Amino acid sequence: MRKTWLSKLMVAVSVAGVFAAAPAMAEKTLKMAYALSTNSHYGVGADAFAKTIEGGTKGQFKIQQFPNSALGGEREVIEGIQLGTIDLAIVSTGATLNFVPKTGVFDIPFLFRDLEHARKVLDGEIGQKMLEEFPKRGLVALAWGEQGFRQMTNNTRPVAQPADAKGLKVRTMENPIHIAAFRELGVLATPMAWPEVATALQQGTIDGQENPMSVIVSAKLPQLQKYLSLTSHVYGPALVLMSPSVYDGLSDADKGTFKKAGHDAAIAMRAYVDQVEKSGIEEVKKQGMQVNTVDHAAFQKAVEPVYPQYYKQFGKELVESIRNTK
């Protein structure tokens, strides 16, 4: 009798141990990469994403963040997502252009009037249809994030008119859409991976760079650059990407949670951009940067000769439908 009771007790303890261990065994850590620091709009988006995932899947998934290009530049990170060596990423469309060329349409200079216009396009039919292009390239696009409008900084002179930009050696992304417009302005566009930029600025290899205020502030560019010109030349979307090797293995419920997490990351990034667009200019002024406005109409006119190239590349109907979105 005693032997039978002990046997039952041992079985019960064993079963309880299995169930106790199950959650720990089930937890899967996913690697999420991005190019900027944790206190950037990317970092804020990654935190929001992680919070939604860890809460929505009851701890089944944990997000491990790799900021500051720890897993490579954006091109390498996207390739890692295709291969399944990286699970998640927040990247710019400057990088996705090499994988999903149609995303380049959003990088056309002076295409968007303001943030509200850009968000309406990305949240609407045009933007959502664009997300459907990613699986064809071995990528899952969960949501559009945001960087804000790109501004120009340099150490040579203020840029108020198109002529002021002529001859400046400016770091750009590896984005032919941007490069074509800069060359039209007479800028010596210099494509360069982001991790190399700080050193190039310190050594004087380049005169300047261009990025949204969210990057200019979080990357502490006032320590490296003297002039900030509010060109607002290109709107910078971002994307929350996921590896199909992970996504395709999820249940429908978990896929829904990951899409919600992407949406929450986008909302967090937009909130950061809204805040930094207001406070960032005053912040960099305090740190010694000279800030100037520009003649936008003159810049728009100066890059207009490049638009036929964009029409040919993306279709005039698509470009104009974005321009005309109300």
Side-chain angles (χ1 to χ4, degrees):
M1 188 77 175
R2 177 177 172 80
K3 186 176 180 180
T4 302
W5 180 83
L6 282 172
S7 298
K8 288 181 178 180
L9 178 62
M10 290 174 68
V11 169
V13 169
S14 176
V15 170
V18 167
F19 279 104
M25 291 172 63
E27 180 182 276
K28 182 173 182 178
T29 298
L30 300 178
K31 294 185 289 186
M32 186 175 214
Y34 49 97
L36 302 174
S37 65
T38 54
N39 68 341
S40 68
H41 54 297
Y42 283 2
V44 167
D47 284 343
F49 188 94
K51 185 176 180 180
T52 298
I53 290 299
E54 291 168 22
T57 64
K58 297 182 173 61
Q60 183 182 353
F61 293 96
K62 182 178 180 181
I63 307 301
Q64 183 180 7
Q65 297 182 38
F66 291 86
N68 298 310
S69 301
L71 299 183
E74 289 193 328
R75 180 193 286 264
E76 290 81 10
V77 165
I78 295 173
E79 289 171 348
I81 286 179
Q82 288 178 320
L83 294 169
T85 56
I86 297 173
D87 304 306
L88 295 150
I90 299 175
V91 299
S92 69
T93 49
T96 62
L97 176 65
N98 298 304
F99 300 85
V100 184
K102 287 184 180 180
T103 58
V105 72
F106 299 130
D107 284 86
I108 293 177
F110 301 105
L111 179 66
F112 295 105
R113 297 182 297 276
D114 49 35
L115 288 174
E116 183 183 5
H117 178 203
R119 291 168 182 176
K120 279 187 176 179
V121 170
L122 294 176
D123 293 343
E125 183 180 358
I126 294 171
Q128 296 310 298
K129 276 190 173 181
M130 194 70 74
L131 295 181
E132 295 172 7
E133 296 294 317
F134 283 79
K136 301 173 187 177
R137 305 288 178 158
L139 301 161
V140 175
L142 297 174
W144 290 105
E146 184 169 86
Q147 301 191 77
F149 279 94
R150 302 181 78 85
Q151 317 292 355
M152 187 181 295
T153 70
N154 80 94
N155 282 324
T156 305
R157 57 181 173 267
V159 175
Q161 299 285 340
D164 299 328
K166 190 172 183 179
L168 291 178
K169 193 170 186 180
V170 177
R171 177 268 176 180
T172 67
M173 294 186 291
E174 296 177 38
N175 186 325
I177 310 301
H178 294 186
I179 292 169
F182 277 122
R183 287 180 177 164
E184 187 67 29
L185 292 170
V187 171
L188 303 175
T190 307
M192 185 181 295
W194 178 247
E196 301 169 17
V197 173
T199 301
L201 289 172
Q202 288 170 333
Q203 295 176 345
T205 308
I206 53 176
D207 300 312
Q209 62 85 56
E210 47 84 45
N211 257 305
M213 285 304 302
S214 51
V215 177
I216 291 168
V217 173
S218 65
K220 301 179 180 178
L221 286 174
Q223 297 177 11
L224 301 170
Q225 296 273 262
K226 185 175 181 180
Y227 302 104
L228 166 62
S229 300
L230 301 176
T231 49
S232 296
H233 49 278
V234 170
Y235 170 74
L239 280 153
V240 183
L241 299 182
M242 186 170 185
S243 175
S245 64
V246 177
Y247 184 80
D248 292 344
L250 297 175
S251 66
D252 288 343
D254 284 342
K255 284 179 180 177
T257 300
F258 273 82
K259 286 182 178 178
K260 182 180 185 305
H263 173 77
D264 291 348
I267 295 298
M269 279 187 263
R270 288 179 178 182
Y272 184 104
V273 168
D274 284 338
Q275 186 274 329
V276 81
E277 290 281 334
K278 295 175 184 176
S279 65
I281 293 173
E282 292 306 314
E283 176 65 27
V284 299
K285 281 182 179 178
K286 288 178 184 177
Q287 295 182 47
M289 287 192 96
Q290 296 183 31
V291 181
N292 68 276
T293 56
V294 308
D295 184 343
H296 284 280
F299 274 92
Q300 286 177 313
K301 185 177 179 180
V303 301
E304 201 66 35
V306 188
Y307 262 69
Q309 175 183 323
Y310 300 145
Y311 291 149
K312 183 178 180 181
Q313 188 170 356
F314 301 109
K316 186 173 182 178
E317 183 180 350
L318 175 58
V319 175
E320 292 303 313
S321 67
I322 293 172
R323 258 185 164 176
N324 296 327
T325 296
K326 303 296 183 184

